[in-house]
C-alpha cells in the first residue's frame, strides 16, 4: 500500500480509502440500495482493510442516518490510533427546519453527534458534503475553524463543490485567518472526467488533495456491464442509475478496458482503478464493498502500472470534449515557454 500527503498537511493517508456508505441503514431507502451491511459484515471489511495497509476511512452523518458512523466507530474500537477518519456534514438529519445545511448551529451540533457515534474525541477530516445556498460562507467557515481550534477536528475539507466555490471559500478563510480546505471529495472516473475542467486546476493551484468517490462510476466500470449484459435486476446500477453515464461512449470505453484486462489477466475494475491511481492529482481513491473478496479485487489495482500505450488508449476513448475558453489551452502556454518547443 502506498501513502500520500493529505493536501498541504503533514498527514499521510493510504492511496485507497475504505468508503462506508454500505454500512448499516436497513431502514433507509438509499442505504439499503448501497448494501446495508450489518456490524459483523462491516467489521470484516474494516479488518481486511487494515490488514491490507489501508489507514483511511470515509463516512458521513447521513449514511444510514448515523448508523454508518456508529458501526465504523465500533469496528475501529481499540484501533483508533491506526485510522484516519473522515466524515461529513450538510444533508438533512431530522424533520426540523434547522436540521440541515451548513449553518453554525447545524455544523456544531452534528460534529458533536458524529464524535459520539464514532466513539472518538476527534475527527481527522471534517468535510462539508456540498454547498448550502442559504448560509453565508463566513458563518460556515468560522464554525469549522472553531471546531479545529477546539481540537475536535484536525483538518477540514469539502465535497461536491464547483471550482469557483472552493476558491471563494479558501479566499475568505485566508482573508479572515481561518483554517482552509485541505481536500475535496469529488466524483472522478474514466466514465466521468468532468473534474478535469476546472476542479483539478483549482486543486493544483491551492495544493489541495483529491479524494475520489465512485471510482467505478456506480459499478458501471465493474466489469458487469456491456452492450449485451445490463446486469441483473438486483444490481446497484439498475436500482440507482447514478452517477450519470453516457452509455454509448461508456461501452466503447469498456471494450478497451476488457482488452487491456484480458491481456494482463486481471479484472476490468482493477484497470479502471489503476488509471485513477496514475492521475497525479489523486490523493486517495474511495472504494466501497459488500464482501472482503470485492475489496481485495479492488486493492489489486495498486500493483498494476499501466504503460504509455495503455494510458493513451484509455485517454482517447474517455477524454472530455474541449469547451470554451479552453478549446486549445496550448495557445496560452506555448508563447510563454518558447524554448520548450
Amino acid at each position: 500500500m502506498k501513502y500520500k500527503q493529505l493536501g498541504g498537511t503533514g498527514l499521510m493517508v493510504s492511496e485507497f480509502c475504505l468508503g462506508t456508505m454500505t454500512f448499516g441503514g436497513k431502514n433507509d431507502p438509499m442505504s439499503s440500495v448501497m448494501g446495508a451491511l450489518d456490524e459483523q459484515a462491516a467489521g470484516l471489511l474494516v479488518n481486511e482493510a487494515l490488514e491490507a495497509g489501508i489507514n483511511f476511512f470515509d463516512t458521513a452523518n447521513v449514511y444510514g442516518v448515523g448508523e454508518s458512523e456508529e458501526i465504523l466507530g465500533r469496528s475501529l474500537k481499540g484501533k483508533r490510533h491506526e485510522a484516519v477518519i473522515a466524515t461529513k456534514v450538510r444533508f438533512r438529519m431530522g424533520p426540523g427546519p434547522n436540521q440541515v445545511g451548513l449553518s453554525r448551529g447545524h455544523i456544531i451540533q452534528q460534529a458533536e453527534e458524529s464524535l459520539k457515534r464514532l466513539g472518538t474525541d476527534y475527527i481527522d477530516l471534517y468535510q462539508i458534503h456540498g454547498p448550502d445556498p442559504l448560509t453565508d460562507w463566513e458563518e460556515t467557515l468560522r464554525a469549522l475553524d472553531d471546531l479545529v481550534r477546539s481540537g475536535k477536528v484536525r483538518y477540514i475539507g469539502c465535497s461536491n463543490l464547483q471550482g469557483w466555490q472552493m476558491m471563494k471559500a479558501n479566499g475568505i478563510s485566508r482573508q479572515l485567518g481561518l483554517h482552509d480546505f485541505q481536500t475535496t471529495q469529488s466524483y472522478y472516473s474514466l466514465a466521468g472526467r468532468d473534474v478535469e475542467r476546472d476542479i483539478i486546476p483549482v486543486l493544483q493551484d491551492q495544493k489541495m488533495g483529491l479524494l475520489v468517490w465512485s471510482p467505478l462510476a456506480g459499478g458501471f466500470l465493474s466489469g458487469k456491464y456491456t452492450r449485451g449484459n445490463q446486469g441483473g435486476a438486483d444490481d446497484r446500477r439498475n436500482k440507482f442509475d447514478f452517477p450519470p453515464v453516457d452509455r454509448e461512449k461508456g461501452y466503447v470505453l469498456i471494450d478497451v478496458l476488457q482488452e487491456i484486462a484480458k491481456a494482463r489477466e486481471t479484472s476490468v475494475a482493477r484497470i479502471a482503478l489503476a488509471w485513477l491511481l496514475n492521475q497525479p492529482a489523486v490523493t486517495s481513491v474511495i472504494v466501497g464493498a459488500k464482501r472482503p473478496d470485492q475489496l481485495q479485487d479492488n486493492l489489486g489495482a495498486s500493483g498494476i502500472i499501466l504503460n504509455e500505450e495503455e494510458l493513451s488508449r484509455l485517454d482517447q476513448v474517455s477524454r472530455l470534449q474541449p469547451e470554451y475558453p479552453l478549446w486549445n489551452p496550448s495557445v496560452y502556454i506555448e508563447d510563454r515557454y518558447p524554448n520548450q518547443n
Side-chain angles (χ1 to χ4, degrees):
M1 184 65 61
K2 297 177 183 176
Y3 300 87
K4 294 185 178 181
Q5 187 178 355
L6 186 73
T9 77
L11 192 66
M12 302 297 289
V13 296
S14 48
E15 64 180 348
F16 278 110
C17 171
L18 182 64
T20 65
M21 198 173 185
T22 58
F23 291 12
K26 286 186 177 180
N27 298 320
D28 175 48
M30 178 63 70
S31 298
S32 62
V33 170
M34 297 302 169
L37 298 181
D38 61 26
E39 190 162 336
Q40 182 178 7
L44 287 174
L45 285 175
V46 170
N47 288 335
E48 189 79 21
L50 289 168
E51 289 176 10
I54 288 177
N55 73 341
F56 197 15
F57 299 84
D58 178 73
T59 185
N61 60 351
V62 75
Y63 296 166
V65 195
E67 196 174 357
S68 172
E69 289 182 325
E70 291 175 349
I71 291 174
L72 177 62
R74 289 194 290 268
S75 298
L76 287 171
K77 188 174 182 180
K79 309 166 190 173
R80 177 67 180 94
H81 63 287
E82 301 178 44
V84 175
I85 297 177
T87 191
K88 312 179 197 71
V89 60
R90 159 63 178 85
F91 289 113
R92 181 166 291 284
M93 290 298 290
N98 294 313
Q99 292 178 289
V100 63
L102 296 176
S103 68
R104 181 180 185 83
H106 188 66
I107 288 173
I108 300 298
Q109 178 190 14
Q110 288 304 311
E112 295 287 357
E113 293 187 8
S114 287
L115 287 166
K116 291 177 184 177
R117 287 191 289 261
L118 288 164
T120 184
D121 56 3
Y122 68 96
I123 295 165
D124 295 283
L125 179 66
Y126 200 45
Q127 306 156 104
I128 61 168
H129 211 158
D132 177 358
L134 188 65
T135 306
D136 185 81
W137 273 110
E138 184 175 338
E139 178 179 345
T140 295
L141 295 167
R142 284 191 182 279
L144 293 171
D145 184 74
D146 284 348
L147 287 170
V148 176
R149 293 180 188 278
S150 71
K152 295 176 180 179
V153 167
R154 299 266 170 97
Y155 304 105
I156 61 171
C158 60
S159 180
N160 303 317
L161 296 189
Q162 297 177 61
W164 71 266
Q165 292 171 319
M166 287 188 281
M167 287 296 297
K168 180 175 181 178
N170 277 355
I172 291 171
S173 291
R174 288 165 189 166
Q175 183 181 32
L176 299 175
L178 309 176
H179 289 85
D180 54 8
F181 293 140
Q182 294 295 327
T183 60
T184 183
Q185 190 174 136
S186 300
Y187 168 55
Y188 192 21
S189 78
L190 270 167
R193 296 173 58 178
D194 303 83
V195 293
E196 294 174 5
R197 296 200 188 280
D198 74 332
I199 291 176
I200 285 180
V202 166
L203 301 182
Q204 292 169 333
D205 178 80
Q206 297 291 293
K207 296 180 174 56
M208 292 171 61
L210 173 58
L211 314 178
V212 176
W213 64 260
S214 203
L216 297 178
F220 185 74
L221 301 178
S222 65
K224 293 181 184 178
Y225 303 98
T226 64
R227 286 186 183 85
N229 182 11
Q230 304 302 309
D234 291 333
D235 287 344
R236 172 186 155 187
R237 189 86 208 186
N238 290 324
K239 288 182 177 179
F240 184 49
D241 194 14
F242 183 83
V245 169
D246 180 337
R247 294 216 171 212
E248 282 309 306
K249 183 178 179 181
Y251 292 139
V252 174
L253 167 61
I254 288 172
D255 289 342
V256 175
L257 283 168
Q258 287 178 325
E259 291 173 11
I260 295 173
K262 183 178 180 180
R264 285 181 168 265
E265 299 182 340
T266 190
S267 68
V268 165
R270 283 182 177 181
I271 298 299
L273 292 170
W275 179 86
L276 273 172
L277 295 175
N278 189 76
Q279 305 308 304
V282 172
T283 302
S284 190
V285 175
I286 302 169
V287 291
K290 296 180 183 179
R291 304 186 311 272
D293 62 294
Q294 291 177 327
L295 178 61
Q296 280 298 330
D297 184 70
N298 287 342
L299 298 186
S302 63
I304 298 175
I305 308 299
L306 298 172
N307 60 42
E308 289 186 13
E309 180 186 2
E310 291 166 331
L311 290 170
S312 177
R313 290 184 66 195
L314 291 170
D315 180 64
Q316 288 176 12
V317 294
S318 66
R319 67 175 55 163
L320 298 171
Q321 290 297 313
E323 285 188 352
Y324 175 82
L326 296 178
W327 287 326
N328 184 10
S330 63
V331 168
Y332 305 103
I333 297 173
E334 289 175 352
D335 63 349
R336 298 300 287 166
Y337 299 93
N339 296 327
Q340 295 185 16
N341 295 328

